[in-house]
Amino acid sequence: MNSVLPVMKNEMLELDQPTRKATQCLIALYCGSRFGNKPIYKDTAIDLAKGIAEHGFGIVYGGASIGLMGQVADTVTEHGGEVVGVIPEFMLDYEIAHKQLTELHIVQSMHERKAMMAERASAFVALPGGFGTFEEILEIATWGQLNQHQKPMMLYNVNGFYDHLIAQLDHAVEEGFLPPQHRAKLIVCNNANQIYNAIKNLEAPKHFIV
């Protein structure tokens, strides 16, 4: 069973704020727990998070306070958006949970984390990241292929970061392993306006996991 702040399982997560519940339509942001080696990754993440908040959306993300993950949470909050974090209990010792979120859910497993994020999100955007980011966006694309959801899914191709992954997906189509109609559902965005256009008419899911 997951818990929601301020009912904590670790003293470092104690908050001064009361329990709240996000009411905004949420965009799932998959991104790294590191900043990467080039300033463009952090700068672009800040710009995207600011734009999401200014367009009236909140975010759901992995709950950490470090790297691009912490940066997007801070930026959305600073610009008036709501932020829902979901973090497995076993990760609390090395992926420091964010203390200033609208909601923070502490779950038992990565599977619970991904399921809750998928349920709460109205769309999915992958910024640059590592294994976890790759796995998350490809899993949600797989769920889309299996008709488990019809929500928009986007690769934010900052600085050509996803060029090789995009080429691999296209190669899978050419070799007959990935149907082109399912490949087309994973939208490649080279700028933030393409993301805003994809999410502008979204509504929040009718059912939440809390």
Side-chain angles (χ1 to χ4, degrees):
M1 180 178 296
N2 64 77
S3 62
V4 185
L5 290 181
V7 179
M8 293 290 96
K9 295 185 178 181
N10 190 307
E11 291 183 358
M12 73 175 182
L13 296 176
E14 291 181 358
L15 293 184
D16 295 327
Q17 65 187 37
T19 301
R20 295 179 289 158
K21 181 170 177 59
T23 59
Q24 289 181 314
C25 184
L26 303 176
I27 309 303
L29 291 187
Y30 301 134
C31 52
S33 58
R34 296 176 174 82
F35 285 110
N37 295 329
K38 299 176 181 177
I40 190 172
Y41 298 126
K42 180 179 179 180
D43 293 344
T44 304
I46 291 171
D47 289 342
L48 176 63
K50 178 182 176 182
I52 286 173
E54 290 178 344
H55 280 77
F57 294 91
I59 66 167
V60 56
Y61 85 116
S65 62
I66 54 177
L68 294 184
M69 296 174 70
Q71 186 64 67
V72 296
D74 290 341
T75 302
V76 171
T77 300
E78 288 167 5
H79 290 86
E82 296 175 328
V83 180
V84 175
V86 188
I87 190 168
E89 185 177 13
F90 74 88
M91 297 183 73
L92 293 176
D93 290 337
Y94 60 91
E95 194 168 275
I96 302 170
H98 203 297
K99 297 181 180 180
Q100 301 296 327
L101 305 180
T102 311
E103 300 176 32
L104 177 62
H105 296 264
I106 303 172
V107 296
Q108 294 300 307
S109 69
M110 292 293 289
H111 298 293
E112 287 184 74
R113 178 197 227 181
K114 292 182 291 183
M116 179 177 286
M117 289 179 65
E119 180 73 16
R120 296 294 296 270
S122 296
F124 308 90
V125 179
L127 285 80
F131 278 153
T133 304
F134 303 155
E135 187 268 343
E136 286 169 323
I137 192 61
L138 291 176
E139 181 172 63
I140 210 67
T142 303
W143 292 0
Q145 181 176 357
L146 297 173
N147 294 316
Q148 298 304 294
H149 72 88
Q150 300 297 325
K151 301 173 183 179
M153 305 171 292
M154 289 158 274
L155 289 173
Y156 194 5
N157 194 28
V158 178
N159 196 42
F161 181 82
Y162 283 113
D163 283 352
H164 296 292
L165 176 57
I166 294 164
Q168 181 61 53
L169 294 173
D170 292 339
H171 181 62
V173 172
E174 293 169 1
E175 294 299 311
F177 289 100
L178 176 61
Q181 68 270 26
H182 294 302
R183 162 65 187 87
K185 291 180 180 179
L186 187 55
I187 304 166
V188 177
C189 297
N190 294 305
N191 60 69
N193 285 332
Q194 293 172 317
I195 296 174
Y196 304 145
N197 287 336
I199 68 175
K200 62 184 178 183
N201 296 318
L202 294 178
E203 297 180 356
K206 294 181 180 179
H207 302 288
F208 285 173
I209 297 175
V210 294

